[in-house]
Amino acid sequence: MHDDDTFTNPRAHDGGALDELITRRFSRRRLLKGSLVASAALSVPSLQGCSPQPGGRVEDPETAALPVSGRFNFEEIARGSDQTHHVPAGYDLDVLLRWGDPLFSDSPDFDPQSQTAAAQSRQFGYNCDFVGFLPLPPDADDVPRGLLCVNHEFTSSVLMFPGVAADYPSSMTAERCAVEMAAHGGSVVELKLVADRWQVVLDSAYNRRIMADGTPMAFSGPAAGSPRLAIGSDPSGTRATGTLNNCAGGVTPWGTYLLAEENFHGYFQGELTEDHPETPNHQRYGVPGGWFQWGRHRDEFNVSSEPNAPNRFGWVVEVDILDPQSTPKKRTALGRFKHEGAESVVAPDGRVVVYMGDDERFEYVYKFVTEGRYDPDNRSANLDLLDKGTLFVARFNEDGSLNWLPLIHGQGPLTTANGFASQADVVIECRRAADLLGATPMDRPEDVEAQPDTGRAYVMLTNNTLREADDVNAANPRANNAFGHIVEITSPDGDHASDSARWDILIQCGDPEDPSFAAVWNPATSPNGWFGSPDNCAFDASGRLWVATDGNQATGAADGLWGIETDGPLRGTGYAFFRAPVGAEVCGPRFTPEGKTLFLAVQHPGDGRQATFESPTTRWPDFDPAGPPRPSVVSIYRQDGGPIGG
Ligand code: FEO
Ligand code: CA
Ligand code: CA
Ligand code: CA
């Protein structure tokens, strides 16, 4: 969300002879693929417009004798947009946690007419995004339990406070800003399974709120203690007091929760002189963005008072959710950018690989490879793995190869001569370091996840309408890319730690019936099965890819969740599973390990042009005529108890 029209990468519009060559080369590739798709289309006309039904026979043009079935089995929901949610026939949906719901036995009742920071700090936060689930051992009565981790990305001031829209921004008092800070961050909530439905355990010792203010944290890794992180309240540059704009994130193999800080620039006000040493750094990240009013009341969100303050955000934060007293750590080794997603996979040699996107137009895809190895038998030995390792940025070559370029101080251009005096400088100015290495500017990288057991990872590239014809590159082949695409990265021998890989495009989103979009889908995709603006993704228990959108509304239908085939003759076929109420993007998604529950985050329902607390586009999920819409996490079940998606 907060899709402003800016970008900050100075390399964005340097198109030239090389790009032209890339365009021509890739056009040939697409033509080849297009003709394959066209021949497949001729063979499967009966699937056009129908729900995907595994067992439906699709003739593979290459092996016409073999029956072909997809990996999904549910009745697709219809495209459309209205005030509520939709799931397929045979599925149930519970609204599990709403903004303002109690997280503790002593949480105050939700009172949206007069919300306070004290109440909000004991309640579920606003605009839920990432959803993680960590199973716990069953309780003494053998009841299944788990910990749900939910990010609260940002607040929509005019939707959450009554009477604020009329005189915004002056209506944003210090107390309202404090409510917003308490509504940011994350929630950790214990769940138990009662009668096959997950319920919140209010008196759990694990329940925890992590906020933008009032949550002590430590900086760790190469930038900890850098003078560039020092502010008046923390001259050591080692202690933080909160986290913000936590979009997608991750859960590590050792059961910790990663919150990724995304659009931190939007929280800063003030200005720096042109000759201030941090000015070029801040410009590269769009600081100060001025989206929020916190800087009017607090020096640490105002660069005029605290020029280093923005360097304290844009990190990945790790929380040990099994120890509710633990101090969250900002893991600076993973670089500073507008982080989206931090899901990990264990490489064959035991090193841990964390995939990450930098969500802005023309920014990059990264991965971090730990130096140490994951020890499944010694949890405490894994807790600081993310402090040491190598950060890499991706260069997608026109021939389908990919190089992971290491961001290491002293190597290549990352030297004192270029203003990098240490690894601290490299991670703080991660984008500039990646520019110098020649990384590939992408169409807004969002979630990146590894598919279990295939050696592949999938990159959600949400959209980039600012890419011009002379900017296209092989991995970002469309100018004015309004609806995004999904790139597949295949690591050699299943080794995600490798410094090279191959890449391909899985789908190019948008309406396949409209030639102006140059969308590429498997022709078995129904009129409901295509979408725009992929954002979050997840794999279910059987390794199937699911993709949630943020921006499908621009195609004239609500955002939602789709299953997508990644293999076989149906590769690139989408199936519509969930539709959000109007105004909302869909986040999460998260499956329980056995695949029988799907958690989704419904973020900013009721939003829209001119939408306010008094006049939202929906009042989902309560439909209280006097109440606001409430961002919520929902849980979805099959009525027959089977796995989600068939
Ligand atoms: Fe918060 Fe990248 O979406
Ligand atoms: Ca998004
Ligand atoms: Ca996102
Ligand atoms: Ca994900």
Side-chain angles (χ1 to χ4, degrees), residues 561-591:
L561 180 78
W562 283 259
I564 301 180
E565 305 279 4
T566 54
D567 292 277
L570 290 175
R571 175 180 158 90
T573 306
Y575 311 121
F577 182 84
F578 174 81
R579 225 172 84 190
V582 63
E585 69 172 278
V586 177
C587 306
R590 175 67 60 178
F591 295 87

Side-chain angles (χ1 to χ4, degrees), residues 222-223 226 228 409 419-430 432-433:
S226 163
R228 299 180 70 181
H409 177 252
F420 297 101
S422 64
Q423 186 66 14
D425 288 340
V426 171
V427 292
I428 291 170
E429 294 189 69
C430 189
R432 189 167 70 86

Side-chain angles (χ1 to χ4, degrees), residues 368-619:
F368 179 77
V369 181
T370 60
E371 182 183 294
R373 288 167 168 72
Y374 169 58
D375 183 348
D377 302 318
N378 185 357
R379 182 170 190 267
S380 62
N382 303 317
L383 288 178
D384 290 319
L385 274 179
L386 298 184
D387 276 345
K388 282 193 180 154
T390 305
L391 181 64
F392 296 87
V393 66
R395 184 175 65 209
F396 293 80
N397 302 310
E398 58 92 21
D399 64 355
S401 66
L402 184 156
N403 299 107
W404 288 107
L405 311 168
L407 291 102
I408 299 175
H409 177 252
Q411 289 193 9
L414 308 184
T415 58
T416 308
N418 283 317
F420 297 101
S422 64
Q423 186 66 14
D425 288 340
V426 171
V427 292
I428 291 170
E429 294 189 69
C430 189
R431 283 183 167 180
R432 189 167 70 86
D435 296 342
L436 289 170
L437 291 175
T440 304
M442 308 296 286
D443 286 346
R444 288 188 63 197
E446 299 250 27
D447 204 0
V448 186
E449 280 208 35
Q451 188 174 35
D453 306 322
T454 64
R456 300 185 208 142
Y458 290 84
V459 183
M460 306 300 113
L461 296 160
T462 199
N463 54 55
N464 182 357
T465 52
L466 297 182
R467 191 176 289 280
E468 295 172 7
D470 63 356
D471 294 330
V472 296
N473 58 54
N476 300 274
R478 288 188 291 185
N480 187 28
N481 183 6
F483 298 119
H485 56 291
I486 297 178
V487 166
E488 176 185 75
I489 296 173
T490 304
S491 296
D493 305 317
D495 183 4
H496 289 276
S498 172
D499 61 8
S500 65
R502 304 287 304 174
W503 67 267
D504 202 350
I505 290 181
L506 177 65
I507 48 174
Q508 293 179 186
C509 305
D511 184 354
E513 298 295 314
D514 184 339
S516 69
F517 293 140
V520 177
W521 295 88
N522 189 298
T525 302
S526 83
N528 302 310
W530 64 269
F531 57 79
S533 298
D535 187 336
N536 293 287
C537 66
F539 292 94
D540 65 17
S542 52
R544 296 176 300 187
L545 175 63
W546 298 78
V547 173
T549 63
D550 171 16
N552 192 54
Q553 300 188 48
T555 73
D559 279 305
L561 180 78
W562 283 259
I564 301 180
E565 305 279 4
T566 54
D567 292 277
L570 290 175
R571 175 180 158 90
T573 306
Y575 311 121
F577 182 84
F578 174 81
R579 225 172 84 190
V582 63
E585 69 172 278
V586 177
C587 306
R590 175 67 60 178
F591 295 87
T592 49
E594 81 297 338
K596 293 184 175 179
T597 306
L598 165 61
F599 298 108
L600 292 176
V602 175
Q603 185 177 154
H604 52 80
D607 202 0
R609 239 177 253 285
Q610 316 294 329
T612 63
F613 183 97
E614 291 75 19
S615 181
T617 54
T618 178
R619 295 186 190 275

Side-chain angles (χ1 to χ4, degrees), residues 122 184 205 251 296 328 372 384 469 623:
R122 307 292 285 169
H184 277 66
V251 173
R296 287 172 35 215
D384 290 319
F623 297 104

Side-chain angles (χ1 to χ4, degrees), residues 245-262:
N245 212 269
N246 306 101
C247 202
V251 173
T252 63
W254 50 96
T256 58
Y257 164 32
L258 301 179
L259 301 92
E261 297 180 331
E262 194 192 25

